[in-house]
Amino acid sequence: MTATDVRPGPDAEAMAAAVAAAIRTLDANIDSFADRYPADTTVDNRYPLRPPTAGQPSGANVGWTTSFWPGMLWLAHDLTGDDRYQRAAMSHVRSFATRVARGIDLDTHDLGFLYTLSCVIPARRTGDPRARAAALAAADHLMTRVLEPAGIIQAWGDLDDPRQRGRTIIDSLMNTPLLFWASQTTGDGRYASAARRHSAQLRRHILRPDGTTFHTFYWDPETGAALRGETEQGHADHSCWARGQAWGIYGFSLNHRYTGESGLLAAARTCADRFLARLPADHVAYWDLEFGDGSRQDRDSSAAAIAACGLVELADNLTDADVAHRYRSAAGRILRSLADGYATDGGPASNALILHGVYDKPKGIGVDEGNLWGDYFYLEALTRATIPDWTSPW
Ligand code: GLY
């Protein structure tokens, strides 16, 4: 056996302890949240119930992050084999089916995040017809956001909103797996073709020549011309928002997995190399890659969790074993640092899995708090580390 035959990474005992702590927290959250939804981020390290918004009561299924809750329950099922978690995850299908049927808060590209974890997983694993129909309805809705002639999926807001029209964002690369699944399950190639065009546009324009990424990018909705990059959650238009770069690692890798296009794999590697080159001593990125140790800025543990998953996905796509080993080792170091320094202990002090994330620093939202996507991707990274033949939902 050579070094490249060994899956490097955190040691098994530490990972088992980290999984056990996470499962304790999820068990308590099943009791407190059940079929309702926690807020996007913690407040003083605890998730409250999702606040009432858009005519919906508190705990309702609105916003872009609700599916991370059933997503974590599916991961808990994978990690423990306990059917209780599958039953808890399945109990969310009705809410997501209702949301898409009634058109509740659907003006977003995040239908991919929302319906991949909540409905594609049960459709694939149990054949549940209601989950499949809801996920397909979400994919159809996502297709209404494809703008011609640019061939991009508008990220945010109403399609007629002048501030948002023609704009997409790097996170959108995580939403295209819903479209690839829709083509696979229906045999209708339109969904995959839209996803392919969208990811090609991002590779050309949202990835900068120096290997960093813009958070958001505008295309002219009439001519399709590529216009300009801007940030929304990063430090500055010219800087590199850490979570965006992590979405790039994972998103370009996933889009390569579905298309086989070598340019997407190269883009994922570029994002990874740039991200890793900017990591501080403890391997958990500051919220913008502009910042390093000594900057007194906040970390974004969620960017680290996403990168830990994306680097393993990238490694799985590579044929060069030495290069793959390098990315897996980096993922292992990030995950170990999260488990040792950012994870909660499964006790009552916090109901999040990891702390010290940043949602939106410029707007002061969820700064130095836990967040649902950070928790989900931390648990996914633990799952990838402990179940080598784990089947990804993406
Ligand atoms: N996808 C939204 C975010 O990463 O904040």
Side-chain angles (χ1 to χ4, degrees):
M1 186 179 275
T2 68
T4 51
D5 294 318
V6 180
R7 280 213 159 196
D11 66 87
E13 213 174 293
M15 290 298 92
V19 168
I23 296 290
R24 279 198 299 280
T25 300
L26 291 185
D27 285 346
N29 287 352
I30 290 176
D31 292 340
S32 51
F33 293 118
D35 291 349
R36 297 174 304 167
Y37 297 92
D40 294 326
T41 74
T42 61
V43 177
D44 296 332
N45 294 341
R46 291 199 67 82
Y47 290 109
L49 213 50
R50 189 158 288 253
T53 178
Q56 300 294 315
S58 78
N61 189 350
V62 289
W64 72 278
T65 63
T66 48
S67 61
F68 293 118
W69 174 220
M72 283 188 263
L73 296 170
W74 284 111
L75 292 172
H77 180 247
D78 294 342
L79 285 160
T80 63
D82 187 337
D83 286 343
R84 196 161 53 90
Y85 298 110
Q86 170 158 330
R87 285 195 297 278
M90 287 300 294
S91 75
H92 290 273
V93 169
R94 188 173 60 172
S95 171
F96 281 87
T98 302
R99 179 169 174 173
V100 71
R102 296 202 187 147
I104 299 167
D105 199 16
L106 300 184
D107 279 346
T108 172
H109 68 144
D110 288 320
L111 294 163
F113 280 116
L114 289 166
Y115 283 84
T116 300
L117 296 178
S118 66
C119 291
V120 173
I121 296 178
R124 279 201 184 114
R125 295 191 187 188
T126 72
D128 185 285
R130 195 176 45 168
R132 180 176 181 275
L136 276 176
D140 283 330
H141 198 81
L142 189 52
M143 289 292 282
T144 68
R145 302 183 70 77
V146 176
L147 298 189
E148 298 294 353
I152 57 106
I153 300 167
Q154 182 173 317
W156 293 322
D158 187 282
L159 293 175
D160 294 325
D161 178 347
R163 173 78 184 125
Q164 302 301 345
R165 192 158 165 72
R167 185 187 208 186
T168 198
I169 69 175
I170 183 118
D171 332 10
S172 62
L173 292 166
M174 299 296 293
N175 288 316
T176 51
L178 178 69
L179 299 178
F180 288 117
W181 166 82
S183 275
Q184 282 171 348
T185 192
T186 61
D188 180 343
R190 281 178 312 120
Y191 304 96
S193 149
R196 195 181 272 265
R197 285 184 66 204
H198 177 80
S199 59
Q201 283 283 47
L202 264 68
R203 181 182 61 74
R204 264 186 242 115
H205 299 292
I206 216 158
L207 183 63
R208 300 169 175 134
D210 70 356
T212 61
T213 49
F214 288 112
H215 177 191
T216 87
F217 201 92
Y218 284 91
W219 280 259
D220 184 312
E222 311 308 328
T223 67
L227 295 178
R228 68 185 181 283
E230 263 182 27
T231 200
E232 182 76 21
Q233 285 157 255
H235 170 62
D237 290 341
H238 67 264
S239 75
C240 182
W241 179 49
R243 192 160 66 251
Q245 193 79 0
W247 290 134
I249 301 169
Y250 203 170
F252 281 123
S253 299
L254 287 176
N255 281 274
H256 169 263
R257 170 165 25 107
Y258 281 105
T259 62
E261 282 172 21
S262 57
L264 296 175
L265 190 60
R269 279 196 66 180
T270 303
C271 288
D273 292 342
R274 194 69 193 199
F275 185 86
L276 294 173
R278 293 294 303 155
L279 289 188
D282 81 348
H283 311 288
V284 173
Y286 288 84
W287 68 277
D288 193 294
L289 297 186
E290 184 106 329
F291 305 119
D293 284 335
S295 64
R296 304 167 76 101
Q297 293 283 335
D298 295 287
R299 313 288 179 138
D300 180 10
S301 58
S302 73
I306 294 159
C309 296
L311 289 164
V312 175
E313 179 70 33
L314 170 58
D316 287 347
N317 276 259
L318 294 170
T319 48
D320 183 322
D322 290 328
V323 179
H325 174 74
R326 196 153 49 77
Y327 290 127
R328 277 204 186 89
S329 299
R333 285 191 292 273
I334 294 171
L335 179 56
R336 184 61 194 263
S337 181
L338 286 174
D340 289 351
Y342 295 79
T344 58
D345 63 2
S350 174
N351 56 2
L353 304 192
I354 54 172
L355 300 176
H356 309 300
V358 170
Y359 185 2
D360 189 331
K361 176 84 174 189
K363 299 188 196 68
I365 302 169
V367 176
D368 196 21
E369 293 286 353
N371 54 60
L372 286 176
W373 57 94
D375 283 357
Y376 171 83
F377 286 104
Y378 171 64
L379 196 59
E380 184 183 306
L382 286 175
T383 308
R384 285 175 175 274
T386 51
I387 309 177
D389 59 351
W390 177 71
T391 303
S392 162
W394 301 105

